[in-house]
Amino acid sequence: MTEKNDKRMIRSWAFFDWANSAYNLVITSTIFPAYYAAITSDKNPDTVDYVFFMGRKFINSTLYSYAMAVAFLVIAIASPVLSSVADSRGNKKVFMKMFTYLGGIACCGLYFFEAETLQLSVVLFVLAAIGFWGSLVFYNSYLPEIATPDRQDNVSAKGFTYGYIGSVILQIICFVFVFFPGAFGLSGEGQASRLSFLLVGLWWMGFAQIPFKALPKGSPNFNRADKNVMTSGFKELQKVWTEVKRMAHLKRFLFAFFFYSMGVQTVMLMATIFGEKELELSTTKLIGTILLLQLVAIPGALLMSYLSKRFLGNLRVLIGVIIIWIGCCLAAYFVRTEYQFYALAAVVGLIMGGIQALSRSTYSKYLPQDSPDHTSYFSFYDVAEKVALVLGMFSFGYIEEFTGSMRNSTLALALFFVAGLIFLLTLRKHEPQSVAKV
């Protein structure tokens, strides 16, 4: 049994955020979206940018949305099976490694992304996303095993903080190559961008060795050893859902989380594409904006954890943050200048890390702390998030394709946040018990 609140173990666990957040920043938020937009655009603001994939014509940004939706759908289907295997054999660290190497190698493969290799590169992009999100299923499930309820807010925030710091360090290194390619013998911004994708894969797999060395492999649940692992994962989700329905507060929180997750990750994944298409911002300005967003997110995550612990509690902070998210989605519809975009990005950055860290720790606190099946509960949590993201990304792309404007898609995201807010408001008087004890 792993001793909880061990500083070395927590620090090693947090280094996985340090390792994989480089993917989240460089591939999903900054350099890759900007490079993708440049590769798939005809540079004419008066025309619609179309690309061909698997024999069908797509608007370039809708293909991007649909590709992410496919990745999330694969994770939503696969993670129950893999979690079942991990629980029955006590080897969840093996699957954490498997997804890490899948994502890291796919990122390295994106070094060869050019206009002629669009189809293969989109597939690698999907595989990288599957690797990132799949590894988080098992990473998150370690939280209640390494920290007691009164420390889980701080430990969760520590992970996100490590992630932001690590990703910004690599992002700055990549910026040097992108902004000054000639100084390193590179042919231009394009090759420098592709080099950044290679560095992300190496960084991710390299620093992941720290948690891989320190974290326990997982405790086997021998009661599942003789079951069909292809079906027992889904049966376990059904079992978890049956248990959740008897825990009214946890059920309401999950509904809230489901709806506002549709908005949070979709905003983060589409922000760069939005700036490029709707405001015609240059790659340099877009990258600088997202870097600002990440830098603001570091104190934002710590501030949310501090307010939750010292004054307001998790739910009140989440309610306030979601109200701000609604305002951001509405403001995005009216953004017309680059400075308005910068201001909006700063606000989003401040609340981005906080809502992720507090959502994870709030869910962890609502769980039965003595349960041996934390992986199953977090698999349910991650499946809920991935299904939400499938709907969020698909609706964002479809609304743009149907209406011809990404601005209309931001209004739909605001509605998702409103639905999440309604469920959270029903929990105002029911903070997790462990929060009340802090």
Side-chain angles (χ1 to χ4, degrees):
M1 180 72 108
T2 303
E3 181 182 349
K4 295 187 178 183
N5 300 333
D6 178 83
K7 291 183 178 179
R8 178 179 172 275
M9 182 69 71
I10 290 171
R11 186 166 54 250
S12 298
W13 176 83
F15 255 102
F16 193 74
D17 252 317
W18 176 290
N20 70 3
S21 291
Y23 160 86
N24 215 17
L25 180 55
V26 176
I27 303 298
T28 67
S29 300
T30 56
I31 297 179
F32 182 85
Y35 181 79
Y36 172 87
I39 284 289
T40 58
S41 173
D42 61 8
K43 314 302 184 205
N44 184 347
D46 298 323
T47 61
V48 178
D49 296 318
Y50 288 104
V51 293
F52 286 89
F53 182 78
M54 301 297 182
R56 186 186 167 191
K57 185 168 73 170
F58 295 88
I59 297 175
N60 62 346
S61 53
T62 60
L63 176 61
Y64 187 91
S65 297
Y66 293 156
M68 291 301 297
V70 168
F72 296 135
L73 182 60
V74 170
I75 291 300
I77 295 172
S79 61
V81 176
L82 298 176
S83 296
S84 174
V85 175
D87 268 353
S88 63
R89 298 181 181 177
N91 61 350
K92 65 183 175 184
K93 188 162 69 172
V94 170
F95 291 97
M96 192 171 159
K97 288 182 178 181
M98 181 186 73
F99 279 107
T100 295
Y101 294 134
L102 171 66
I105 292 171
C107 287
C108 292
L110 287 173
Y111 176 78
F112 302 100
F113 181 14
E114 297 190 62
E116 304 80 42
T117 62
L118 173 67
Q119 297 198 82
L120 174 61
S121 300
V122 170
V123 171
L124 289 174
F125 174 60
V126 170
L127 291 177
I130 291 172
F132 175 76
W133 293 101
S135 65
L136 289 183
V137 173
F138 304 98
Y139 170 63
N140 287 339
S141 71
Y142 275 107
L143 180 58
E145 297 182 18
I146 65 173
T148 53
D150 61 306
R151 293 288 308 278
Q152 286 169 10
D153 278 349
N154 288 337
V155 172
S156 184
K158 187 183 187 77
F160 279 104
T161 301
Y162 270 49
Y164 289 127
I165 295 173
S167 61
V168 166
I169 290 174
L170 181 61
Q171 181 74 93
I172 291 173
I173 294 172
C174 294
F175 282 170
V176 173
F177 288 115
V178 171
F179 293 158
F180 308 102
F184 301 94
L186 302 174
S187 60
E189 285 187 10
Q191 186 181 12
S193 297
R194 297 196 303 275
L195 177 61
S196 299
F197 310 152
L198 174 63
L199 291 177
V200 167
L202 298 176
W203 176 284
W204 185 357
M205 292 184 287
F207 279 106
Q209 302 310 309
I210 297 174
F212 289 164
K213 182 178 179 180
L215 290 173
K217 67 177 184 178
S219 301
N221 185 341
F222 294 108
N223 292 330
R224 296 195 198 152
D226 58 348
K227 295 181 179 179
N228 184 340
V229 295
M230 296 302 294
T231 59
S232 61
F234 294 99
K235 290 179 180 177
E236 191 63 26
L237 288 183
Q238 185 177 11
K239 175 186 172 184
V240 170
W241 175 238
T242 300
E243 295 173 356
V244 166
K245 287 191 290 187
R246 294 198 295 264
M247 295 181 276
H249 302 153
L250 178 59
K251 182 174 69 172
R252 291 183 207 168
F253 176 75
L254 275 171
F255 276 119
F257 173 75
F258 178 81
F259 283 108
Y260 69 68
S261 289
M262 289 187 196
V264 173
Q265 293 293 347
T266 303
V267 169
M268 293 165 59
L269 292 170
M270 298 305 297
T272 302
I273 300 290
F274 180 89
E276 192 276 336
K277 290 198 70 172
E278 295 294 332
L279 303 176
E280 300 178 14
L281 298 182
S282 67
T283 299
T284 302
K285 290 179 179 179
L286 287 171
I287 291 175
T289 301
I290 303 301
L291 179 59
L292 168 67
L293 186 150
Q294 296 292 323
L295 290 173
V296 173
I298 297 173
L302 296 175
L303 175 62
M304 302 305 169
S305 176
Y306 176 78
L307 291 175
S308 171
K309 182 176 181 180
R310 298 289 297 177
F311 302 108
L312 301 175
N314 290 36
L315 295 177
R316 291 184 181 88
V317 173
L318 283 173
I319 288 170
V321 168
I322 289 174
I323 291 173
I324 298 174
W325 272 107
I326 294 170
C328 289
C329 291
L330 296 177
Y333 182 85
F334 298 100
V335 165
R336 298 294 175 185
T337 69
E338 63 178 274
Y339 294 105
Q340 292 173 343
F341 184 71
Y342 299 154
L344 185 59
V347 176
V348 168
L350 188 65
I351 58 179
M352 180 177 64
I355 195 169
Q356 291 178 293
L358 277 183
S359 294
R360 179 168 64 182
S361 60
T362 302
Y363 180 77
S364 181
K365 289 178 178 181
Y366 274 124
L367 298 181
Q369 296 298 311
D370 57 350
S371 171
D373 293 337
H374 286 133
T375 303
S376 295
Y377 276 102
F378 271 95
S379 176
F380 191 89
Y381 176 85
D382 281 287
V383 168
E385 182 182 41
K386 299 310 168 291
V387 173
L389 286 171
V390 170
L391 296 175
M393 293 298 292
F394 179 81
S395 63
F396 194 93
Y398 180 77
I399 291 171
E400 182 196 359
E401 194 170 27
F402 185 74
T403 66
S405 174
M406 297 178 76
R407 295 180 186 274
N408 297 321
S409 299
T410 65
L411 296 180
L413 297 184
L415 295 178
F416 297 150
F417 281 112
V418 169
L421 176 63
I422 291 171
F423 280 104
L424 277 185
L425 288 173
T426 67
L427 284 169
R428 282 177 300 172
K429 299 179 181 179
H430 303 289
E431 283 281 345
Q433 186 64 29
S434 53
V435 177
K437 293 179 180 179
V438 173

